[in-house]
Amino acid sequence: MRWSVGPLTPAALAELARYLRHQAEECLLLAHKERSAPSAAELVVIAASLHERATKLETSLAHHATEQAVAEAR
């Protein structure tokens, strides 16, 4: 099942990006402590995915801020 919510504010998106980065860091810490190589590798993959999603959110926020600044300058 898929669900969605309305558009999120830039502040909410920024907080989500921070949360995703924090979770990525936690995955990397767990991977470092993990004794099983396959499990550690999976945690690194999860961390990379979280980091990528956070980067996409931050890029989207920067693009939105640029568009808003241009619109206000007109």
Side-chain angles (χ1 to χ4, degrees), residues 15-61:
E15 183 60 30
L16 179 56
R18 279 191 291 277
Y19 174 78
L20 292 173
R21 289 219 188 274
H22 176 74
Q23 293 304 307
E25 290 173 15
E26 290 295 319
C27 283
L28 290 176
L29 289 172
L30 288 172
H32 181 69
K33 295 176 183 178
E34 182 61 50
R35 293 187 184 272
S36 165
S39 295
E42 184 67 23
L43 287 165
V44 170
V45 169
I46 292 169
S49 176
L50 291 167
H51 177 75
E52 179 183 25
R53 290 175 189 217
T55 300
K56 285 181 181 179
L57 280 174
E58 291 166 346
T59 301
S60 175
L61 282 169

Side-chain angles (χ1 to χ4, degrees), residues 10 61-74:
L61 282 169
H63 181 71
H64 177 24
T66 301
E67 286 181 339
Q68 188 174 12
V70 169
E72 289 174 0
R74 292 182 182 163

